[in-house]
Amino acid sequence: MKPRRVSPPISNYKIPDYDINFFWNGKKLTAKKGDTIASGLLANQQDIIGRSFKYHRPRGVMSAGVEESGALVTIGDGAYTEPNISAPTEQITEGLCVYSQNAWPSVRFDIGSILNQFSRFLAAGFYYKMFMGIPPFEWGRGTSIWMFFEHFIRKAAGLGRASRLADPDIYEHLNTHTDILVIGSGPAGIRAALTAAKSGADVLLVEQDFLIGGSYLSQPDKIEFIELTEQLTAKNITILTGTTAFGLYDDETVGLIERVSDRHENITQKLPRQRFHICRAEKIILATGAIERNYAFINNDLPGIMTVSSARTYLNRHHLLVGEQIIISTNNDSAYETALELKNAGANVTILDAREQIGDNLLQKIVSNQIHLYLGSAVAKAENGFNSASIKKIQIAELGKNGWQSAGSLRCDCLLISAGWSPVIHLASHQGFPINWSEENACFYSSGNSKTIFLAGSAAGIWNRQGCIQSAIDIFNIEANANDSAHQKMGGWDTPIKPLYEIRLASLKGKAFVDPQHDVTASDIRLAHQEGFISVEHMKRYTTLGMATDQGKMGNIIGLSIMADALNAPISEVGVTRFRPPYTSICLGALAGRHRQSHFKPIRRTPLDQWSLRHSAIMTEAGLWRRPWYYPEKGEDLNKAYIREATTARRSLGICDVSTLGKIMVQGPDATEFLNRIYTNPFAKLPIGKARYGIILRDDGMVFDDGTTWRLAENNYLMTTTTNNAASVMTRLEELLQVRWPQLKVHVTSVTDQWAGCAIAGPNARNLLTNCVDKPDEMSHEALPFMGVKQIYLKNIPCYIARISFSGELAFEVYVPSDYAPSLMQMIWQNAMAFDSCLYGLEALGTMRIEKGHVTGAELDGRTTIDDVGLGRMASANKDFIGKSLRSRQMLASPNRPQLVGIFPKDKSKKFSAGGLLNEAGKTNSHPLGWVTAVTYSPALGHWIALGFIEGGLQNTKDKQIILTDELRANFLDIEIVSPHMYDPEGTRLHG
Amino acid sequence: MIQIICPFCGKRDHSEFSYGGDGEITYPALDANEESWHDAVFLRENIYGRQIETWQHIHGCRSWLLVDRDTKTHEIFSVKLAHLDWHILLEKNR
Amino acid sequence: MTRFSAWNVIKNGFTGQSGWSRQWRDPEPKSHYDIVIVGGGLHGLATAYYLAKNFKLTNIAVLEKGWIGGGNAGRNTTIIRSNYMLKGNREFYEKSLKLWENLSHELNYNVMFSQRSHIGLYHTANALDAASRRYNIMRQTGSDAEIWSRSDLEKKIPHLNYAHDARFPIHGALVQKRAGTARHDAVAWGYARAADKLGVDIIQQCEVIGIKRNARKITQIETSRGSIQADKIAFAVAGNTSRLWQMAELGNLPIESHNLQAFVTEPIKPLLDQVVVFGVAGAHFYISQSDKGGMVFGGDIDWYKSYAQRGNLPIVQDVAECALSVMPCLGRVKLLRHWSGVVDMSMDGSFFICKTPLDNLYLNAGWNYGGFKASPASGWYFADLIANDRPDEIIKNHDLDRFRRGHHIDERGAGADPKLHG
């Protein structure tokens, strides 16, 4: 095969015509601007471009489009490496580096091709039958023998090698809306866009190729196309080239990937490499064309064999004549125009037509152009040359009385195939629209949904250009005359197609490929049938037909027909597997867009974030929040810092950012009733100016959330929630008010982000705040008793203040509008200097709450009841609340449920960790009795302490010897189960 | 992408909404017995076909909606506010 | 039936593969069976196999409305692990893992169980607490677990995201080395072939279209291939459990049907040797590489109830974001296909293998995300339940009445909201 450039015809379709350089396996080659990798390599006489998946057979260019299953390459270097590029679809840019893949040491000489010699043992499904034990009789047990083989199988499998480096390019997401989306810009697509635009609708025309035109580009005469492109400049038509509509999703949503820039040309412009459009349309026209098929005959995968239409594309678009001695094997009319064009370009052309007669019109043209024509003929076998992998000769099959029979041979350097056309109905299939088999046209087709999704042109099975164009116009006509059924019929050839899927002569042996990329052969399909894998889904999975990177675009139907033949049933009964998105493979980077690395998820910063960082805070993650973890002083690590912080707070004064707590305003005449229903404890009589701790259950009676709710006025409450559940509590309240209890007049508003808060805890808390108010008695116990709430000015900053305590100390929570938070904090911190004081973070907060036995998410994990955590007394017997009924189910009331306890090590010098298990001594070989949820060193108690759960709680473990088993840290301790209220159980410190 | 026509905000992607659950569950009174609560909380008709379900326009107006949708095809037949009084008011003023 | 072995593969290489016959027969349904299993997925087929193998019951039919293994058996991401924590689940999945370990030999079918390690990443100091509890429980109950530090991970899985600007830097991982992946279709075919060999009738293209019953029992099943009577009937039709249940006029179940998507990239040379799971701040993602080379991954369900077997873009996007967050080198690796299956999501995220209100009906359902890895044990214990008419101690709380008792088996603590149990 010696492809050569021919001079382009003189026309006013101007394309750039200059040389560019690219590299093929490191070797510098020259191509023309506008070349694809496939045309560029062909022009440089590269016949072997890829190696097949299983047998490593040499493969050349087999097509000129997305159906390519031979010429797969890797492009780019380093972090820009992109494997498995279909060579006919990728444009060559200056300096592009292209590499062969799945071959070693080189694509021309690949050691892996030795597998081809063993292919008789590698039939479909062979790996299900061996490798599980020691060969040859599969002795042994377990998985180690398989995993030994697997190691080598994995290395042999795979195609290209992906980069190990992060993709440095940028990808964008766009939300696109249009009235009419037209997919495909061939004759039907362009006409559909123009027709739709006439009505004034906004039209988006997308084309996967980097040029618009579709099949126009492959035709020699471009006059009509040039005229049309001028009309496409209408304002309401937007054209996106290099844009693949990869999937059709619900409600007319289409995923588009637009290839925007190539890094070589645009790296300085900071353009994204690709854009992922989520396109919503009112109506979608699928003018996606059709794909020409191959058929199965021996060695139908040799380099030098491609589809007829691809040779036409290479000739008319890339001015590349793919061979000198060309044989065309066809079963339909579509190949004849190409034959004439190839002949005119200087090739010797021979046509084998499987049909026994063709139209006079065609016949005359062929004869007058000195093209040899064999009717009733097809290829039985292709043969390569003595020292060349490319095709040199074919064995002909001829239709005789008893079917196909051998009929001599012909020499050639290129074989072009057209065994029919498959409309591209993938997108319609994504939505599950019916797919039917047309016997007459030997193809599957779909009609969309006839409301919003339409197919036009060859995608609708229409084979002539005028018919295609008319079908696009008809879509909009039918709309005008609702019941007009006079739309274009499928078909359009003078002589009908003669189905041709396989030529198989008993006298000839060899591999006839159905899916060349995966090396699925016709005999694999027959073996699948023999072993009972007769449904298309089974056949696909057993043979891997159609699961390669081209997803069976060319080969699937051959497989179906061979199975149909084996079953002696029509293809329509064998059925078709559902196409799945994406239509062609798409980069994960494009789907992820900018949501990568630090932008993977938003960071929620409290209004005090920067202030805390300036005060040496080390931050930690809490869900999406970033919170101060501890504030180290010089030389302190986490442990030293939190112990100092907790000690200081208990001794004198500590200040903590609590802005992440969920805050919800609950307002309206029925607010009190509402709160009374959602909290387990009574809220009906909460006085104005008071806060109350409450617990919310789920409907199933498990603890959902807890927090304090402050009554600010008669019908105005501020509810606080845990940090983690802020959003779900809000949603829950809205659901209750809008769906379940619409008669309640209550409005809820999330103010989590609007209000910032800080906790001021310790014996000096009141003294500090007294220094900040105008009148000292505003902060007296009488003016602000325990659980008291009021509005107050702290050094002229208006705040809400509540005397509530999570630490167990005399403590206050002060809330201000978020914008005031840094100045409030600064003011408080300045005034705190007068005292022995510190800032404390999440770790010290944890220490103090563990000492007090206060529960958080570690204990309230969605599996705990209110009784489990010892708060059963908070479940009112005198009123109804959510979860009341189901919380008392039999197992939930069992005294043996794990209950919250405090944990001390017997030896007070010992340290231990959360996640350790609680076991009865000597019983450590089954499920544990309990586990440790949270551990801290307690500065107040002078040793390590923990909270945890144990079956039966404190009561039932009194006479048992309980040990802590932490295999992870190799820590096994005698422990003492104590009340969870480990420090100041009487709560005297709350009052200062 | 399923498109849901929010009565307040118009046609929006379903990713703006969060799915609630079955819209035709009648929750018993808070003091009702365990059995009736068990049935409401734990049992589902799990309809194959058209069902009334709740969604919240969580990244929009935060309304809870009753959506009539086919679980086989995802086709939506109607959307209304779950809060009946609001629904009536909105329809009246349309 | 020809035994599967390298010997016979080679022998058939010389005889043009002529020695292989149907892997399972294609019998006409009989009018009566001792046991009819509805559902020719992994669970139904495994159940049939263990009924025949463990209890010598062979007058059994498996009815499949389409083709065996066509539902979730062929739509999952093939992960096998036993790192469950709660009583019942822990033992059940451990049993399953043990069965997996010898399954290829047991079935004489290479299901390609590759014990390549399951890596549960964690990203905060607190997450280690949760991981260590799980670690300790797994070890104490006779399973394997390890904790790998960040530097262990950097050595063993070099291409994860160790970048400093990662939103959630990796701290470490809870590892189960005996966990891994298997070839999902092969499991269905392997069980079918082995069950068929023991005499079980696998009847494809046989849809149940009606159920006749009296107050106590199912008396007859109407199928698209005629009426069938059976002494015992077992449902194993995940995704469509409620439909069959209602066909038997049994009311409502604690199950919702949801869509779970799965994804595979184009094949690439080996890049990832383990199963890696990522879950932090609401993100949920799992990835491994198939033997063919495709990166296989998935994430959350589509959030809304669906029987449609097709997913939508928001989850595609979420999953791609997670993929890049875990392995930034995947940016230029291309998604080849994504598809979807209908899963039974239950009210506590755990399954049902239990008796039912009818004397001769048994239920296997509610597999949530866990169905594939469960299939051997599911078949094992379901067969035991059907044969002995009482549940094994291990699964005695995996019944429909557990919510009445308040015995939730809720690994996530998400409560009675099926969509949250992913």
Side-chain angles (χ1 to χ4, degrees):
Chain A
M1 186 186 187
K2 288 235 180 316
R4 62 175 165 91
R5 296 280 187 190
V6 292
S7 43
I10 296 162
S11 90
N12 55 352
Y13 179 70
K14 294 288 177 235
I15 51 162
D17 181 28
Y18 55 88
D19 286 352
I20 50 174
N21 297 310
F22 73 109
F23 296 87
W24 169 238
N25 288 325
K27 189 179 165 201
K28 190 170 175 180
L29 300 176
T30 305
K32 297 274 186 202
K33 175 72 183 166
D35 263 332
T36 62
I37 294 174
S39 65
L41 287 172
L42 282 173
N44 284 280
Q45 266 106 56
Q46 296 296 325
D47 52 351
I48 304 176
I49 295 174
R51 289 276 168 173
S52 65
F53 193 87
K54 189 161 141 189
Y55 302 140
H56 288 249
R57 285 169 67 101
R59 296 282 162 74
V61 174
M62 301 174 121
S63 75
V66 295
E67 67 273 33
E68 181 64 32
S69 63
L72 299 179
V73 296
T74 297
I75 61 167
D77 290 298
Y80 294 98
T81 303
E82 189 169 347
N84 308 344
I85 294 285
S86 156
T89 60
E90 186 76 15
Q91 192 177 8
I92 294 179
T93 48
E94 180 63 40
L96 181 72
C97 292
V98 185
Y99 302 93
S100 54
Q101 59 181 34
N102 200 31
W104 187 87
S106 80
V107 75
R108 299 199 68 83
F109 179 77
D110 176 15
I111 292 284
S113 62
I114 198 158
L115 286 168
N116 196 25
Q117 307 306 313
F118 292 97
S119 58
R120 61 167 61 216
F121 310 115
L122 309 182
F126 77 97
Y127 33 79
Y128 299 125
K129 298 169 181 165
M130 56 193 290
F131 300 131
M132 50 202 141
I134 298 166
F137 299 114
E138 313 301 321
W139 290 302
R141 288 179 61 80
T143 57
S144 56
I145 302 155
W146 158 243
M147 287 177 71
F148 170 80
F149 286 113
E150 185 192 33
H151 177 77
F152 299 99
I153 290 170
R154 282 190 68 197
K155 276 192 171 173
L159 285 168
R161 185 178 185 276
S163 166
R164 266 56 179 162
L165 302 170
D167 185 350
D169 275 323
I170 297 169
Y171 300 85
E172 267 181 3
H173 283 183
L174 240 75
N175 287 299
T176 307
H177 298 259
T178 186
D179 296 331
I180 314 271
L181 172 65
V182 180
I183 301 170
S185 68
I190 290 181
R191 181 58 64 185
L194 291 174
T195 313
K198 265 189 211 148
S199 68
D202 276 333
V203 177
L204 179 62
L205 175 63
V206 302
E207 169 55 55
Q208 63 184 358
D209 201 321
F210 48 88
L211 297 175
I212 65 157
S215 65
Y216 279 125
L217 297 175
S218 303
Q219 289 162 6
D221 167 17
K222 300 200 170 59
I223 296 169
E224 178 184 313
F225 175 52
I226 293 158
E227 266 177 37
L228 288 169
T229 47
E230 280 159 11
Q231 294 175 46
L232 283 172
T233 52
K235 268 189 189 150
N236 53 346
I237 302 178
T238 307
I239 300 173
L240 293 176
T241 54
T243 301
T244 302
F246 68 80
L248 178 57
Y249 298 89
D250 285 330
D251 288 346
E252 291 75 48
T253 308
V254 179
L256 307 173
I257 295 289
E258 179 191 3
R259 285 169 289 278
V260 181
S261 71
D262 190 278
R263 65 194 168 83
H264 299 284
E265 287 171 357
N266 289 312
I267 199 154
T268 53
Q269 296 177 28
K270 295 267 186 213
L271 278 174
R273 178 168 176 250
Q274 297 180 0
R275 284 196 190 106
F276 169 26
H277 298 251
I278 299 172
C279 177
R280 298 100 177 147
E282 298 297 321
K283 197 177 280 184
I284 298 169
I285 317 299
L286 303 176
T288 40
I291 290 174
E292 200 172 23
R293 291 197 298 263
N294 197 338
Y295 65 96
F297 55 88
I298 294 167
N299 296 338
N300 60 347
D301 65 327
L302 292 185
I305 302 179
M306 64 175 80
T307 56
V308 175
S309 58
S310 53
R312 191 177 195 207
T313 299
Y314 291 122
L315 178 66
N316 293 321
R317 184 169 169 182
H318 302 291
H319 313 300
L320 194 63
L321 183 61
V322 290
E324 301 294 341
Q325 299 287 339
I326 297 176
I327 295 175
I328 291 177
S329 170
T330 186
N331 64 345
N332 64 76
D333 286 358
S334 72
Y336 283 78
E337 247 171 313
T338 310
L340 293 168
E341 288 162 18
L342 291 167
K343 176 75 187 172
N344 287 339
N348 273 319
V349 180
T350 304
I351 297 179
L352 311 182
D353 197 321
R355 298 173 294 184
E356 282 164 301
Q357 63 178 60
I358 60 168
D360 288 345
N361 206 2
L362 278 187
L363 195 62
Q364 268 171 22
K365 274 194 205 166
I366 293 302
V367 172
S368 64
N369 278 281
Q370 294 165 333
I371 292 173
H372 310 282
L373 175 64
Y374 294 76
L375 288 172
S377 301
V379 184
K381 183 179 183 182
E383 292 171 15
N384 58 328
F386 172 64
N387 55 2
S388 150
S390 296
I391 186 164
K392 279 279 154 6
K393 197 168 108 180
I394 61 160
Q395 302 285 343
I396 301 175
E398 197 179 64
L399 259 184
K401 277 191 192 129
N402 304 315
W404 293 99
Q405 60 194 41
S406 187
S409 65
L410 275 177
R411 294 189 71 80
C412 64
D413 64 354
C414 181
L415 172 62
L416 307 180
I417 311 287
S418 179
W421 292 80
S422 300
V424 176
I425 51 176
H426 295 62
L427 273 79
S429 174
H430 293 171
Q431 275 298 295
F433 299 140
I435 291 175
N436 301 303
W437 176 254
S438 163
E439 199 63 50
E440 199 180 331
N441 290 286
C443 68
F444 285 105
Y445 67 97
S446 167
S447 305
N449 66 1
S450 307
K451 281 191 289 191
T452 51
I453 317 279
F454 300 88
L455 289 96
S458 55
I462 297 160
W463 309 130
N464 62 56
R465 198 198 303 177
Q466 277 320 311
C468 287
I469 290 170
Q470 191 57 45
S471 73
I473 297 169
D474 285 350
I475 288 169
F476 298 94
N477 275 345
I478 285 169
E479 168 103 325
N481 333 291
N483 291 324
D484 185 358
S485 59
H487 58 276
Q488 275 298 309
K489 290 223 171 64
M490 288 176 67
W493 288 317
D494 291 346
T495 312
I497 187 170
K498 177 187 173 69
L500 175 63
Y501 305 106
E502 186 189 17
I503 297 293
R504 185 172 166 230
L505 300 182
S507 55
L508 297 173
K509 294 271 180 279
K511 289 190 197 59
F513 289 91
V514 174
D515 183 334
Q517 194 189 131
H518 265 170
D519 288 325
V520 180
T521 63
S523 50
D524 286 331
I525 305 290
R526 275 186 272 274
L527 178 60
H529 171 259
Q530 182 182 327
E531 296 192 81
F533 295 92
I534 55 172
S535 91
V536 276
E537 294 291 349
H538 282 166
M539 172 179 77
K540 174 181 106 175
R541 290 173 161 91
Y542 194 64
T543 63
T544 74
L545 166 65
M547 296 177 89
T549 60
D550 61 303
Q551 293 281 288
K553 290 188 175 68
M554 219 194 279
N556 264 4
I557 289 176
I558 312 173
L560 293 180
S561 80
I562 294 172
M563 182 57 77
D565 186 49
L567 291 168
N568 206 10
I571 289 181
S572 55
E573 276 178 31
V574 177
V576 64
T577 62
R578 184 154 160 190
F579 294 110
R580 294 290 183 175
Y583 171 61
T584 52
S585 306
I586 49 180
C587 284
L588 291 177
L591 293 173
R594 299 206 183 228
H595 296 212
R596 295 165 57 180
Q597 295 305 93
S598 56
H599 296 291
F600 168 58
K601 297 269 173 186
I603 298 177
R604 293 186 80 178
R605 298 176 172 90
T606 81
L608 292 168
D609 184 76
Q610 290 304 307
W611 190 92
S612 298
L613 286 173
R614 279 200 302 277
H615 290 78
S616 82
I618 303 291
M619 297 296 200
T620 187
E621 304 283 347
L624 295 177
W625 285 103
R626 189 163 88 173
R627 295 184 70 173
W629 190 6
Y630 58 103
Y631 297 84
E633 290 182 351
K634 208 174 173 197
E636 279 184 341
D637 61 6
L638 167 66
N639 286 320
K640 285 196 175 124
Y642 88 78
I643 291 170
R644 173 185 51 75
E645 289 167 16
T647 309
T648 311
R650 292 231 188 272
R651 183 176 65 218
S652 172
L653 181 60
I655 296 157
C656 179
D657 178 5
V658 295
S659 304
T660 62
L661 287 181
K663 295 173 281 290
I664 298 169
M665 300 303 301
V666 181
Q667 296 161 316
D670 294 322
T672 309
E673 169 64 17
F674 179 55
L675 292 170
N676 209 37
R677 288 188 198 178
I678 60 170
Y679 281 118
T680 61
N681 48 330
F683 268 71
K685 288 177 186 149
L686 180 67
I688 296 169
K690 275 282 205 176
R692 183 164 288 171
Y693 174 71
I695 290 181
I696 306 177
L697 304 186
R698 300 189 309 226
D699 280 326
D700 66 1
M702 300 292 177
V703 176
F704 176 32
D705 199 60
D706 65 342
T708 58
T709 287
W710 313 0
R711 190 166 198 178
L712 304 176
E714 178 66 24
N715 295 328
N716 188 10
Y717 293 84
L718 174 66
M719 170 191 280
T720 67
T721 75
T722 60
T723 300
N724 270 344
N725 288 332
S728 43
V729 170
M730 181 66 192
T731 290
R732 173 69 168 157
L733 300 185
E734 287 166 327
E735 181 184 15
L736 291 172
L737 287 168
Q738 295 181 39
V739 184
R740 209 179 291 184
W741 301 326
Q743 69 282 10
L744 289 186
K745 291 189 166 52
V746 182
H747 196 82
V748 289
T749 313
S750 168
V751 293
T752 303
D753 291 316
Q754 281 69 26
W755 291 87
C758 73
I760 299 160
N764 275 317
R766 182 185 285 132
N767 298 336
L768 164 70
L769 288 164
T770 306
N771 290 352
C772 302
V773 291
D774 289 345
K775 296 178 212 145
D777 57 356
E778 279 186 89
M779 286 302 303
S780 68
H781 176 72
E782 292 67 31
L784 193 58
F786 183 57
M787 296 308 263
V789 178
K790 65 178 177 180
Q791 274 185 296
I792 199 169
Y793 283 85
L794 296 177
K795 298 279 184 193
N796 299 323
I797 302 173
C799 317
Y800 275 110
I801 189 165
R803 195 176 140 198
I804 49 184
S805 174
F806 195 51
S807 57
E809 297 298 317
L810 170 67
F812 301 85
E813 282 182 14
V814 179
Y815 284 175
V816 286
S818 292
D819 290 350
Y820 289 81
S823 34
L824 173 82
M825 197 63 162
Q826 185 62 26
M827 185 277 291
I828 288 175
W829 185 231
Q830 270 168 2
N831 281 280
M833 297 296 178
F835 303 91
D836 168 19
S837 62
C838 73
L839 297 168
Y840 67 95
L842 201 54
E843 196 70 18
L845 183 92
T847 296
M848 290 191 278
R849 73 101 186 167
I850 295 168
E851 289 175 332
K852 290 296 296 175
H854 290 159
V855 287
T856 64
E859 292 79 30
L860 304 178
D861 63 359
R863 291 185 286 258
T864 30
T865 68
I866 196 166
D867 295 295
D868 295 343
V869 291
L871 296 173
R873 65 190 145 74
M874 288 189 61
S876 170
N878 303 322
K879 62 145 196 171
D880 299 329
F881 54 87
I882 284 194
K884 183 178 185 178
S885 182
L886 292 178
R887 86 179 191 91
S888 48
R889 281 170 293 161
Q890 174 201 338
M891 293 292 290
L892 300 182
S894 156
N896 278 330
R897 278 181 65 85
Q899 288 167 32
L900 184 72
V901 290
I903 299 161
F904 287 175
K906 282 252 167 80
D907 175 349
K908 296 287 188 288
S909 68
K910 297 287 190 196
K911 181 184 169 177
F912 59 109
S913 311
L917 304 182
L918 305 176
N919 289 296
E920 198 170 351
K923 295 184 182 169
T924 55
N925 54 2
S926 175
H927 278 272
L929 289 178
W931 65 97
V932 179
T933 57
V935 174
T936 186
Y937 176 80
S938 166
L941 298 170
H943 59 86
W944 288 82
I945 62 168
L947 288 174
F949 286 90
I950 193 161
E951 286 175 16
L954 188 55
Q955 287 305 316
N956 287 4
T957 46
K958 274 195 172 137
D959 6 311
K960 287 180 187 154
Q961 191 197 345
I962 305 296
I963 57 166
L964 175 124
T965 320
D966 186 357
E967 210 178 316
L968 178 60
R969 287 92 172 188
N971 195 5
F972 307 91
L973 286 185
D974 285 337
I975 51 146
E976 185 188 345
I977 300 293
V978 299
S979 153
H981 311 293
M982 290 172 277
Y983 178 65
D984 185 27
E986 297 78 25
T988 49
R989 299 186 63 86
L990 281 173
H991 305 291
Chain B
M1 194 82 80
I2 302 173
Q3 306 274 314
I4 298 174
I5 300 172
C6 171
F8 285 127
C9 312
K11 191 177 184 182
R12 300 298 177 91
D13 291 349
H14 82 266
S15 54
E16 286 187 14
F17 299 77
S18 80
Y19 179 72
D22 285 13
E24 288 182 311
I25 298 174
T26 315
Y27 287 90
L30 291 175
D31 61 351
N33 62 20
E34 268 179 46
E35 192 58 24
S36 50
W37 269 100
H38 167 272
D39 293 356
V41 172
F42 294 109
L43 298 185
R44 296 287 189 275
E45 200 178 344
N46 201 16
I47 292 169
Y48 178 77
R50 274 173 78 164
Q51 69 165 10
I52 305 290
E53 58 194 22
T54 60
W55 289 75
Q56 187 187 18
H57 196 187
I58 196 156
H59 300 302
C61 61
R62 296 195 67 92
S63 303
W64 277 86
L65 309 171
L66 290 177
V67 177
D68 177 0
R69 188 183 64 105
D70 192 323
T71 59
K72 295 191 306 250
T73 63
H74 301 167
E75 188 183 351
I76 289 179
F77 300 92
S78 75
V79 182
K80 65 177 193 179
L81 293 173
H83 196 293
L84 191 63
D85 293 346
W86 298 0
H87 168 70
I88 292 167
L89 207 61
L90 195 69
E91 287 303 305
K92 215 184 277 174
N93 291 301
R94 220 171 254 294
Chain C
M1 189 184 291
T2 313
R3 201 182 134 74
F4 286 173
S5 67
W7 177 262
N8 279 326
V9 168
I10 291 164
K11 203 169 110 187
N12 274 280
F14 289 110
T15 63
Q17 314 294 338
S18 60
W20 307 119
S21 52
R22 284 191 68 101
Q23 296 196 359
W24 55 90
R25 293 166 296 125
D26 182 22
E28 279 301 313
K30 296 188 281 188
S31 60
H32 179 271
Y33 287 94
D34 294 344
I35 301 168
V36 161
I37 298 166
V38 184
L42 289 173
H43 296 258
L45 293 166
T47 304
Y49 171 73
Y50 290 115
L51 277 168
K53 176 83 191 315
N54 296 352
F55 301 99
K56 311 290 176 234
L57 299 166
T58 54
N59 187 20
I60 298 172
V62 177
L63 309 185
E64 167 55 49
K65 74 171 172 182
W67 302 93
I68 60 162
N72 295 330
R75 292 166 196 270
N76 58 78
T77 47
T78 80
I79 298 169
I80 294 161
R81 60 184 169 90
S82 75
N83 58 353
Y84 286 69
M85 196 168 71
L86 301 180
K87 236 180 245 178
N89 278 354
R90 182 75 269 286
E91 289 76 9
F92 176 87
Y93 283 102
E94 193 60 37
K95 170 72 181 180
S96 208
L97 184 52
K98 290 205 173 91
L99 289 170
W100 274 113
E101 284 175 322
N102 208 44
L103 197 59
S104 292
H105 304 280
E106 166 96 27
L107 301 179
N108 180 231
Y109 209 108
N110 190 356
V111 301
M112 302 182 199
F113 179 31
S114 168
Q115 296 186 282
R116 50 175 69 177
S117 303
H118 178 275
I119 314 291
L121 300 175
Y122 62 83
H123 306 264
T124 61
N126 284 344
L128 175 61
D129 295 348
S132 54
R133 177 182 169 199
R134 192 174 290 267
Y135 168 98
N136 282 322
I137 290 183
M138 287 170 68
R139 301 280 286 220
Q140 185 162 317
T141 51
S143 191
D144 69 309
E146 291 181 12
I147 295 278
W148 289 3
S149 68
R150 183 182 162 102
S151 60
D152 293 337
L153 289 165
E154 276 177 293
K155 270 180 237 131
K156 289 169 182 158
I157 319 179
H159 311 304
L160 298 182
N161 191 356
Y162 304 107
H164 293 291
D165 63 339
R167 174 68 178 85
F168 299 105
I170 294 170
H171 278 222
L174 173 64
V175 176
Q176 186 177 31
K177 282 182 135 177
R178 286 162 63 232
T181 59
R183 174 82 183 93
H184 51 11
D185 296 322
V187 188
W189 304 334
Y191 271 122
R193 175 169 166 272
D196 174 271
K197 196 176 168 189
L198 295 173
V200 172
D201 281 0
I202 293 163
I203 301 164
Q204 302 182 105
Q205 302 274 279
C206 180
E207 183 172 6
V208 172
I209 50 176
I211 292 170
K212 286 194 182 145
R213 55 167 273 207
N214 57 31
R216 304 284 308 275
K217 292 176 100 167
I218 289 180
T219 53
Q220 186 159 304
I221 298 176
E222 305 299 338
T223 79
S224 54
R225 296 177 67 175
S227 305
I228 300 175
Q229 293 183 333
D231 299 346
K232 292 179 177 181
I233 290 139
F235 289 170
V237 290
N240 289 301
T241 311
S242 299
R243 295 175 64 197
L244 213 52
W245 197 252
Q246 281 153 7
M247 206 183 274
E249 295 178 346
L250 286 164
N252 295 346
L253 279 171
I255 288 173
E256 278 185 7
S257 295
H258 284 260
N259 232 334
L260 178 59
Q261 300 197 47
F263 304 80
V264 66
T265 70
E266 293 182 349
I268 50 178
K269 291 291 175 196
L271 176 66
L272 177 66
D273 298 333
Q274 299 83 0
V275 179
V276 174
V277 179
F278 171 70
V280 61
H284 182 202
F285 179 74
Y286 35 92
I287 185 165
S288 65
Q289 186 170 19
S290 76
D291 287 337
K292 222 173 85 187
M295 306 299 297
V296 179
F297 52 91
D300 281 313
I301 51 173
D302 268 19
W303 298 122
Y304 48 83
K305 238 182 73 184
S306 172
Y307 286 95
Q309 292 193 334
R310 65 164 186 268
N312 266 312
L313 279 170
I315 295 291
V316 178
Q317 222 168 297
D318 277 1
V319 162
E321 289 167 11
C322 289
L324 262 71
S325 194
V326 176
M327 297 185 76
C329 64
L330 293 178
R332 288 170 121 85
V333 171
K334 296 197 284 293
L335 178 68
L336 181 62
R337 51 196 274 134
H338 72 99
W339 63 94
S340 175
V342 181
V343 290
D344 280 359
M345 299 300 290
S346 74
M347 291 293 154
D348 60 358
S350 289
F351 61 87
F352 304 98
I353 294 180
C354 58
K355 298 178 70 168
T356 68
L358 299 181
D359 291 346
N360 66 344
L361 176 66
Y362 303 86
L363 180 69
N364 175 318
W367 289 100
N368 295 275
Y369 278 40
F372 177 67
K373 65 182 90 74
S375 45
S378 170
W380 181 278
Y381 288 113
F382 198 32
D384 175 71
L385 171 76
I386 296 164
N388 295 320
D389 197 38
R390 56 99 197 93
D392 186 277
E393 189 65 15
I394 281 175
I395 54 152
K396 70 162 195 251
N397 284 313
H398 284 88
D399 62 341
L400 289 168
D401 264 346
R402 66 176 181 260
F403 303 110
R404 275 197 180 80
R405 296 195 302 278
H407 192 111
H408 303 188
I409 309 172
D410 189 347
E411 296 269 345
R412 288 204 150 215
D417 191 346
K419 65 180 179 289
L420 301 181
H421 287 289

